[in-house]
Amino acid sequence: MSTPHNTANPGDFAKTVLMPGDPLRAQFIAETFLTDARLVNNVRGIHGYTGTYRGTPVSVMASGMGIPSIGIYSYELYHFYGVENILRIGSAGAMQEHIRVRDLVFGMGACTNSAFASQYGLHGTFAPTASWELLSTAVGIAGERGLRFHVGNLLSSDSFYTDDGDTANAAWRKMGVLAIEMEAAGLYMTAAREGKRALALCTVSDHLLTGEATTPEERQTTFTEMMEVALETAVRMDHGKENM
Ligand code: HPA
């Protein structure tokens, strides 16, 4: 079996998949952190790998950028490949003064200006949320490691270059939204519809209020810390299941 975007065979993906946006990040994670990583998909160069991390099977595959892209890849992983947990590991722009570049932001919820939810025919507004199991596990790990982190709403925006960006962002900021990125809401809605688990954790790469941005070296360090939180979450989810 394969899909238009994934040529992996059934069973090729682990129960937990880490999803960075960038395919080269997926390759870096597989080569740096996974044991016996093998390439299971490379349609459009999207780089899907499966290996083990401290004995737990883990996959990593890129999502591409934006809700339509992560919507496709996450749907196929949940629906056709039996994946249970997807952890988006990305970058985000801070929208609040108390958040600093390099901090970690967990998306407890994900607001969006996207029409993705309209496909579900709901008579109201759906609130896309993270899986509590993934969120509480990952936040616990970040705390143990002494990382600076925040938990709250992300804004998953359909545009990176927004014509009225300052005005639009100011309105979301007044609602307490922590940071802006482009995928979490699509992932959370897909997980909800499929009855699966999802979490987006993002390192703050730039600050919308101060204009401050991380250097490539800082991005690498903070990305590594975030990746280790995500990998450790995968391990604990695996152990938790054994005890169920
Ligand atoms: N907008 C959207 N996505 C982002 C940003 C941003 O400013 N920074 C990091 N990801």
Side-chain angles (χ1 to χ4, degrees):
M1 185 212 72
S2 66
T3 75
H5 321 98
N6 201 324
T7 50
N9 294 310
D12 273 349
F13 283 97
K15 293 281 179 228
T16 301
V17 180
L18 271 51
M19 287 202 116
D22 179 352
L24 295 180
R25 292 270 188 203
Q27 185 181 13
F28 172 81
I29 295 166
E31 289 173 354
T32 311
F33 290 95
L34 299 187
T35 305
D36 297 331
R38 62 191 179 94
L39 188 69
V40 294
N41 179 41
N42 205 15
V43 178
R44 291 175 182 247
I46 209 73
H47 286 94
Y49 295 86
T50 297
T52 60
Y53 179 74
R54 296 206 278 106
T56 296
V58 178
S59 297
V60 52
M61 189 172 91
S63 68
M65 287 184 281
I67 287 176
S69 188
I70 200 165
I72 290 169
Y73 293 116
S74 60
Y75 179 86
E76 292 180 348
L77 289 172
Y78 287 137
H79 196 83
F80 298 116
Y81 290 102
V83 169
E84 296 292 334
N85 310 306
I86 296 180
L87 292 130
R88 159 165 159 68
I89 43 177
S91 61
M95 298 179 78
Q96 302 290 340
E97 269 168 25
H98 68 281
I99 298 179
R100 302 186 203 151
V101 294
R102 297 182 295 277
D103 286 358
L104 199 49
V105 177
F106 292 91
M108 182 160 66
C111 310
T112 188
N113 53 21
S114 152
F116 193 79
S118 63
Q119 65 178 303
Y120 302 117
L122 303 164
H123 299 283
T125 308
F126 184 72
T129 54
S131 144
W132 171 248
E133 280 166 292
L134 289 178
L135 178 64
S136 57
T137 303
V139 167
I141 293 163
E144 288 165 19
R145 290 174 178 234
L147 303 177
R148 264 185 67 90
F149 66 88
H150 312 268
V151 184
N153 256 330
L154 294 170
L155 171 62
S156 301
S157 176
D158 261 356
S159 52
F160 185 88
Y161 302 105
T162 304
D163 206 45
D164 63 346
D166 288 346
T167 309
N169 291 341
W172 290 108
R173 188 176 302 132
K174 281 195 276 186
M175 295 303 286
V177 171
L178 301 178
I180 182 169
E181 50 83 72
M182 301 185 74
E183 291 84 15
L187 174 63
Y188 288 3
M189 285 188 251
T190 304
R193 180 66 184 87
E194 291 296 306
K196 304 289 179 105
R197 300 187 194 94
L199 172 65
L201 49 158
C202 297
T203 54
V204 174
S205 57
D206 51 284
H207 206 298
L208 269 59
L209 296 174
T210 64
E212 194 188 349
T214 45
T215 63
E217 296 76 37
E218 287 172 334
R219 273 203 289 283
Q220 191 60 52
T221 308
T222 51
F223 191 80
T224 302
E225 287 168 355
M226 171 173 61
M227 216 149 40
E228 287 172 351
V229 170
L231 286 163
E232 181 60 27
T233 304
V235 171
R236 293 195 194 175
M237 290 302 289
D238 198 48
H239 292 170
K241 275 214 194 86
E242 278 166 18
N243 298 332
M244 272 178 193

